[in-house]
């Protein structure tokens, strides 16, 4: 009797996973389950998630009559490896509703095995944007700087901070009253976030937004800096200087955008991706690179009054976006035609002659020799 009880105890094997498996939404994931090897005909496998039947296998074949509708056509065992003790399940095209704890039950002539597999699902945030304030319309503070993202799961963490030009972190200067964050969901239940920050001053500061998806170790940083105002005159060549330092330029894209009125839409003046400028670039000179530095200065030739406005340099990679805004103010030079110049010279001679005659006459009238 004791021997029978002992035999049952050593063959009942329950294994709880430490941690959890992470699956990416719309991708496939493998839920692991291992047991002792046996003949295929003698193996029974049941995958369940709560009360739902996910996948069943016995009599050497899949048994899917009682499979929950949500899993139909989305599950698969590695049939050629089952006899060696691999009962892992491939779950394809996962979504939010697949999150939860899965249970693998396997039975062989040598014993019973049970394994619990927690599954967490996530999606990287995309459409990560930092929208700078319209500096053509800003006369008084505050101005609004927007940070947004969509298509992510689970919930995010978002942090605003400011950094002075001397590198000192000023994140504590931002209070909850300075920002307004709205959260919504798309049709798939993924998160959409937008945060608007009221900025009180633009000089000598860089504003930063950080969005994180901790489950997938995704971190994105956006930053914006007001470079200042540059004056120029019509007909000149103007350079908006900017040097960008970066050790990895493999996925870097650089775009200069321009708008000349408060309500006008931004237009792309030039774009650089993978160190190749677009053919229709309107820059005077193509951006150049040196070791670890990109000269992304914008050159404007023979400027006109229509070139006055807001210029923003946008430097993007997979994990960051940096924006630098410049305001260009232009004025016209007075142009005097040659014939007008000659007429003015004659006028000046006549006026000077009249003044000389008047001076001599006045002197003759009032001068009385002693």
């Amino acid at each position: 009797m004791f021997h029978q009880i002992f035999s049952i105890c050593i063959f009942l094997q329950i294994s709880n996973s430490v941690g959890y498996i992470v699956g990416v939404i719309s991708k496939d994931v493998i839920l692991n389950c291992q047991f002792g090897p046996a003949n295929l005909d003698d193996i029974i496998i049941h995958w369940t998630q709560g009360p739902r039947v996910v996948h069943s296998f016995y009599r050497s074949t899949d048994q899917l009559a009682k499979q929950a509708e949500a899993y139909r056509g989305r599950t698969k065992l590695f049939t050629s490896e089952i006899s060696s003790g691999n009962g892992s399940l491939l779950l394809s095209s996962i979504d939010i509703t697949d999150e939860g704890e899965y249970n693998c039950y396997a039975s062989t002539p040598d014993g019973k095995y049970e394994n619990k597999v927690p599954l967490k699902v996530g999606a990287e945030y995309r459409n990560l944007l930092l929208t700078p304030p319209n500096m053509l319309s800003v006369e008084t503070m505050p101005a609004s700087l927007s940070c947004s993202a969509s298509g992510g799961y689970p919930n995010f963490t978002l942090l605003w901070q400011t950094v002075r030009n001397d590198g000192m972190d000023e994140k504590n200067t931002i209070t909850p009253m300075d920002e307004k964050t709205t959260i919504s969901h798309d049709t798939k239940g993924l998160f959409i976030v937008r945060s608007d920050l009221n900025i009180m001053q633009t000089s000598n500061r860089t504003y930063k937004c950080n969005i994180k998806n901790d489950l997938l170790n995704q971190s994105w940083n956006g930053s914006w800096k007001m470079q200042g105002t540059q004056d120029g005159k019509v007909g000149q060549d103007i350079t908006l200087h900017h040097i960008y330092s970066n050790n990895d330029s493999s996925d870097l894209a650089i775009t200069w955008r321009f708008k000349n009125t408060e309500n006008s839409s931004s237009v792309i003046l030039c774009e650089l991706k993978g160190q190749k400028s677009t053919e229709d670039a309107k820059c005077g000179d193509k951006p150049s690179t040196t070791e670890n530095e990109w000269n992304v200065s914008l050159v404007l030739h023979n400027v006109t009054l229509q070139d006055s406005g807001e210029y923003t340099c946008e430097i993007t990679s997979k994990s960051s976006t940096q924006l630098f805004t410049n305001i260009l103010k232009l004025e016209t030079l007075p142009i005097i035609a040659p014939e007008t110049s000659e007429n003015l010279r004659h006028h000046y001679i006549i006026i000077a002659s009249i003044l000389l005659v008047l001076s001599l006459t006045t002197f003759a009238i009032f001068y009385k020799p002693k």
Side-chain angles (χ1 to χ4, degrees):
M1 179 68 177
F2 175 79
H3 177 74
Q4 290 178 336
I5 295 175
F6 179 76
S7 297
I8 294 174
C9 288
I10 64 172
F11 289 131
L12 182 60
Q13 182 175 315
I14 300 176
S15 173
N16 293 317
S17 297
V18 177
Y20 48 82
I21 291 177
V22 176
V24 179
I25 291 175
S26 79
K27 304 295 183 180
D28 301 346
V29 67
I30 295 176
L31 307 179
N32 297 314
C33 180
Q34 306 295 325
F35 50 87
N39 291 327
L40 196 63
D41 293 342
D42 298 328
I43 297 175
I44 298 173
I45 301 173
H46 286 299
W47 275 97
T48 57
Q49 197 271 315
R52 299 188 295 180
V53 175
V54 178
H55 197 105
S56 293
F57 178 94
Y58 51 91
R59 296 175 185 170
S60 301
T61 188
D62 294 321
Q63 304 288 341
L64 305 179
K66 296 183 180 180
Q67 185 182 45
E69 184 65 30
Y71 296 103
R72 292 196 182 276
R74 300 175 52 223
T75 60
K76 182 181 178 181
L77 297 177
F78 299 89
T79 309
S80 62
E81 300 178 23
I82 291 177
S83 60
S84 61
N86 184 6
S88 300
L89 179 74
L90 175 67
L91 180 60
S92 62
S93 303
I94 62 174
D95 61 23
I96 293 175
T97 61
D98 292 324
E99 190 167 67
E101 186 175 78
Y102 289 76
N103 186 69
C104 173
Y105 168 85
S107 175
T108 72
D110 291 332
K112 299 176 181 178
Y113 304 81
E114 190 171 358
N115 190 42
K116 297 186 183 299
V117 185
L119 173 65
K120 291 189 176 183
V121 301
E124 285 194 347
Y125 282 88
R126 47 191 175 80
N127 300 322
L128 293 142
L129 297 173
L130 188 69
T131 305
N134 186 343
M135 299 307 294
L136 293 176
S137 65
V138 174
E139 295 180 357
T140 58
M141 293 289 126
S144 181
L145 177 64
S146 297
C147 184
S148 60
S150 63
Y153 191 87
N155 209 345
F156 59 91
T157 57
L158 187 149
L159 174 67
W160 284 103
Q161 67 180 107
T162 62
V163 177
R164 295 201 316 231
N165 282 355
D166 58 11
M168 183 174 293
D169 188 354
E170 291 188 327
K171 65 182 179 181
N172 293 330
T173 63
I174 296 176
T175 67
M177 295 182 62
D178 296 328
E179 59 179 293
K180 179 183 179 182
T181 300
T182 57
I183 303 170
S184 58
H185 298 85
D186 62 16
T187 56
K188 296 180 180 180
L190 305 180
F191 284 92
I192 302 171
V193 56
R194 171 172 174 156
S195 184
D196 297 310
L197 177 70
N198 289 328
I199 56 177
M200 301 306 298
Q201 56 180 313
T202 60
S203 61
N204 301 320
R205 277 165 178 75
T206 298
Y207 289 84
K208 294 185 176 183
C209 171
N210 174 252
I211 294 178
K212 285 185 178 180
N213 182 337
D214 292 326
L215 181 67
L216 299 182
N217 295 319
Q218 179 192 16
S219 180
W220 175 85
N221 292 285
S223 66
W224 173 76
K225 180 182 178 183
M226 180 63 193
Q227 292 285 80
T229 300
Q230 184 168 334
D231 296 322
K233 298 186 183 299
V234 169
Q236 293 181 332
D237 291 347
I238 301 293
T239 300
L240 301 176
H241 294 279
H242 190 68
I243 302 295
Y244 173 71
S245 298
N246 186 38
N247 293 327
D248 182 14
S249 59
S250 57
D251 64 343
L252 207 62
I254 300 167
T255 304
W256 276 94
R257 303 180 188 275
F258 167 70
K259 63 189 305 182
N260 58 6
T261 66
E262 175 183 344
N263 298 318
S264 63
S265 299
S266 294
V267 296
I268 295 177
L269 292 182
C270 67
E271 195 169 19
L272 179 71
K273 292 183 178 179
Q275 300 187 18
K276 292 184 179 180
S277 183
T278 55
E279 293 182 0
D280 60 346
K282 297 180 180 179
C283 304
D285 295 332
K286 293 183 180 180
S288 59
T289 61
T290 57
E291 185 178 0
N292 297 334
E293 282 193 345
W294 289 54
N295 178 11
V296 296
S297 302
L298 180 68
V299 180
L300 302 171
H301 293 294
N302 194 25
V303 295
T304 67
L305 282 178
Q306 285 70 35
D307 294 318
S308 296
E310 179 184 282
Y311 292 80
T312 298
C313 180
E314 177 183 298
I315 303 172
T316 62
S317 66
K318 181 179 179 181
S319 60
S320 69
T321 294
Q322 298 183 54
L323 303 175
F324 303 89
T325 296
N326 304 261
I327 300 296
L328 178 60
K329 291 184 177 181
L330 299 173
E331 62 180 28
T332 58
L333 287 170
I335 300 176
I336 302 176
E339 60 274 13
T340 303
S341 177
E342 184 65 24
N343 290 336
L344 285 175
R345 189 173 69 84
H346 288 304
H347 290 161
Y348 291 148
I349 292 174
I350 293 172
I351 292 172
S353 300
I354 292 173
L355 291 174
L356 179 59
V357 171
L358 289 174
S359 298
L360 293 173
T361 303
T362 302
F363 179 78
I365 291 174
F366 292 99
Y367 178 72
K368 296 179 180 181
K370 297 181 180 180

